[in-house]
Amino acid sequence: MNEDYNIEADAELGRTTFEDDNLLKQNTPISKPMSPRLHARRASMQETTWTIKDSFHVTTKDVVQRCIHTLIPTTNFFDVIDDRPDLYGPFWITTTVVQALFFSNSITDYVRHLTGLIDAPYSIGKLVSAASIIYGYTAIAAAILWGFLVWNKCNPKLLDCVCIYGYANISWLPVSLMTPPFGLLSSFVSHIVKWILTSVGLGISLLFLVRNLYPVCQQAGTYFCKLSIAGIIVLHILLAITLQLIFFK
Amino acid sequence: MTDLNKPNVEIEQDETENLLRMDPVRSSFDVETRPVEPDTFAGESVVETRYTGGDTLDEPIRVTLLNEFRAIGEKLIYILYPKNAQVLRDWDLWGPLIFSLVISLCLSLPASSSDRESIFTVVFALIWFGEAVCSLNIKLLGANISIFQSICILGYSSFPLVISSVVCAFIDRLYIRIPVNVAMYAWATFASLGVLQNSNLTNKKFLAAYPLFLFYFSLSWIIFL
């Protein structure tokens, strides 16, 4: 068969169907260009390149466990993660906090509008500012921490930093859900209670962050360690004050 | 010659199909609707995802529109009464587009004139980005469903929110708005859980369903306000 093909090569040009032309197909693979990933897989099946999908290999129990260990920071968070940092938790906790901030702010505004205190029932700009503040803070603070540690040759993983800051956001969730009743009372005591609530949230997340990042920053040397811990605390306090002034007023 | 060469052709097709399935870039295509091999050498390959008849460019516009409306109507009936899951396999994005436009319009009309444009933009962007992110989340958690199919299902499941937004745009009484909103939110969420039906998520059902709850809650909350 093969030698027939070679002898009659010129006669093949008149054909209109190429169904049986497997030899032609093997020589000219026009049909499917091979992506570099396919090349890599064919070359060595043992190497694995990291894809985003790898950071979603968590089950429901894992995520719930991580959230609980964030709110009650007794054990080291990196042990809880067990070298499997995930992106599901940080992203969806951050999104939930954004929604909760908008929800608490708009429900107080709506009730005030019903009782005649304010003109507009709600302001959609609060949702946009909530999203930009929380997403921006989580991303930028995690990036600054990672950059700082890389500069001090600590070899951190960016995913770990994002994970820590993302899970730390969960403390704002109960704060924003408990604020509306006090926001509606508008007496001096309720102002104090709102500030206390915000500072409790700040305290929980700060405790979690410092407790887990202190061993990591210690590798950078004592001076930079103190500098980085101070930086984390200051940034977090700024975030708490911003949230209080914009959303919990 | 043909009998001896046929098995080689079939083996090569299986191997490339397996490789395509492993490739994360292309694994979101539906496996059974990719083009058959012999066409690709002769000319361009025709990717047919929905209509099994050839191309629909020659038919009159009236027929195309009727077909589209019939497809939208079938999916709406599925949302009302989920009986035939095959309907959702041909995805189209006309329904979600119409629903998102109606929701954004009904939410922006009652507002004051300074807020109107920003409300429309924010709600429209929230709907589409929210659906995309939820679908991406379901895909990343490991479900074998294509992204456009899940966007289609999520979009069609927001039809109850269309009803509630139209109602809330015209009626101001709290004792009508609250029950309508709650009922439509529950209906939309349960309808959208159908996207998780055939996926192989073992321990992650709640992880995949929670974003849907959040997304429809944020939409219903803005509709209520």
Side-chain angles (χ1 to χ4, degrees):
Chain A
M1 302 297 171
N2 290 341
E3 56 271 23
D4 285 343
Y5 182 81
N6 282 334
I7 291 175
E8 295 173 357
D10 290 331
E12 305 279 323
L13 291 176
R15 287 173 50 189
T16 50
T17 62
F18 294 92
E19 251 179 89
D20 303 322
D21 239 345
N22 59 331
L23 279 178
L24 201 57
K25 250 190 246 194
Q26 282 164 8
N27 288 337
T28 59
I30 297 180
S31 51
K32 248 187 284 290
M34 292 243 284
S35 63
R37 181 155 258 141
L38 271 179
H39 265 296
R41 277 194 208 268
R42 273 192 162 163
S44 63
M45 295 297 281
Q46 287 101 3
E47 286 177 17
T48 48
T49 50
W50 181 87
T51 57
I52 292 189
K53 214 164 174 173
D54 289 336
S55 58
F56 274 75
H57 287 173
V58 278
T59 60
T60 310
K61 211 160 59 90
D62 284 339
V63 173
V64 169
Q65 198 186 22
R66 290 175 190 192
C67 291
I68 292 179
H69 280 280
T70 309
L71 287 174
I72 311 173
T74 48
T75 53
N76 192 1
F77 191 66
F78 293 108
D79 290 334
V80 177
I81 288 190
D82 200 15
D83 210 18
R84 284 181 304 137
D86 71 313
L87 270 182
Y88 177 92
F91 180 70
W92 286 110
I93 288 179
T94 317
T95 312
T96 313
V97 168
V98 167
Q99 292 295 333
L101 286 173
F102 176 64
F103 175 75
S104 70
N105 193 40
S106 52
I107 202 172
T108 53
D109 277 351
Y110 187 70
V111 175
R112 286 181 190 163
H113 169 72
L114 283 186
T115 57
L117 285 175
I118 303 182
D119 279 339
Y122 70 108
S123 148
I124 200 87
K126 293 282 184 182
L127 179 61
V128 178
S129 53
S132 45
I133 290 177
I134 300 284
Y135 278 127
Y137 174 77
T138 309
I140 293 179
I144 291 179
L145 176 70
W146 178 74
F148 186 77
L149 290 177
V150 162
W151 182 48
N152 285 325
K153 301 179 188 39
C154 284
N155 294 334
K157 281 202 292 181
L158 181 57
L159 208 49
D160 278 341
C161 300
V162 170
C163 211
I164 283 253
Y165 267 100
Y167 275 105
N169 280 333
I170 199 175
S171 67
W172 302 118
L173 204 52
V175 171
S176 59
L177 288 178
M178 291 204 296
T179 310
F182 300 105
L184 293 174
L185 288 177
S186 80
S187 69
F188 185 62
V189 177
S190 60
H191 276 298
I192 302 267
V193 171
K194 278 191 289 187
W195 275 103
I196 292 179
L197 273 178
T198 313
S199 48
V200 165
L202 169 70
I204 292 178
S205 53
L206 212 51
L207 188 64
F208 168 74
L209 277 178
V210 168
R211 192 204 180 286
N212 288 304
L213 289 177
Y214 189 64
V216 174
C217 292
Q218 264 184 337
Q219 297 171 12
T222 50
Y223 175 63
F224 285 120
C225 170
K226 288 190 181 25
L227 191 63
S228 60
I229 296 289
I232 291 174
I233 293 179
V234 163
L235 276 181
H236 220 67
I237 291 180
L238 280 180
L239 174 74
I241 294 179
T242 314
L243 288 182
Q244 166 74 17
L245 289 178
I246 295 186
F247 296 105
F248 300 146
K249 216 35 187 145
Chain B
M1 189 173 179
T2 55
D3 293 328
L4 280 176
N5 286 339
K6 268 275 192 249
N8 290 339
V9 172
E10 285 176 7
I11 288 175
E12 181 169 301
Q13 280 180 351
D14 285 338
E15 182 189 78
T16 47
E17 270 191 19
N18 284 337
L19 284 171
L20 270 183
R21 234 177 267 154
M22 282 187 340
D23 187 352
V25 170
R26 294 169 105 155
S27 61
S28 61
F29 290 167
D30 286 335
V31 172
E32 55 274 85
T33 56
R34 261 180 284 122
V36 185
E37 275 321 297
D39 286 344
T40 55
F41 187 78
E44 64 272 4
S45 57
V46 177
V47 177
E48 298 166 331
T49 55
R50 286 158 48 209
Y51 300 115
T52 50
D55 73 317
T56 55
L57 283 177
D58 287 340
E59 57 185 17
I61 295 182
R62 174 178 55 89
V63 178
T64 311
L65 284 179
L66 276 179
N67 278 336
E68 295 288 347
F69 283 132
R70 190 174 308 131
I72 295 179
E74 276 175 5
K75 292 196 192 47
L76 274 182
I77 294 177
Y78 176 79
I79 296 288
L80 290 174
Y81 182 52
K83 194 168 38 167
N84 177 20
Q86 293 302 316
V87 164
L88 290 177
R89 292 183 78 88
D90 326 322
W91 55 267
D92 73 293
L93 293 177
W94 284 111
L97 178 68
I98 296 177
F99 297 156
S100 62
L101 281 177
V102 171
I103 292 180
S104 314
L105 213 56
C106 288
L107 284 179
S108 63
L109 282 178
S112 60
S113 60
S114 60
D115 264 349
R116 210 167 278 171
E117 301 139 358
S118 53
I119 291 183
F120 184 88
T121 3
V122 169
V123 173
F124 193 77
L126 174 68
I127 291 179
W128 282 104
F129 280 119
E131 283 180 5
V133 161
C134 287
S135 312
L136 202 64
N137 178 59
I138 292 178
K139 181 93 190 148
L140 284 173
L141 280 176
N144 54 358
I145 193 173
S146 75
I147 292 187
F148 282 112
Q149 216 169 347
S150 49
I151 293 184
C152 165
I153 298 180
L154 289 182
Y156 273 100
S157 312
S158 63
F159 174 69
L161 298 178
V162 171
I163 298 179
S164 76
S165 69
V166 168
V167 165
C168 288
F170 295 116
I171 298 183
D172 244 348
R173 308 272 178 184
L174 261 188
Y175 54 81
I176 296 184
R177 286 177 97 144
I178 295 183
V180 165
N181 265 304
V182 169
M184 294 299 148
Y185 167 63
W187 179 12
T189 315
F190 282 124
S192 74
L193 287 180
V195 78
L196 301 172
Q197 243 176 13
N198 298 327
S199 58
N200 52 354
L201 301 169
T202 44
N203 297 329
K204 308 179 185 176
K205 280 255 158 65
F206 180 70
L207 291 188
Y210 170 70
L212 302 177
F213 285 102
L214 192 62
F215 171 63
Y216 288 119
F217 175 74
S218 62
L219 273 186
S220 334
W221 177 246
I222 300 182
I223 291 176
F224 169 71
L225 285 177

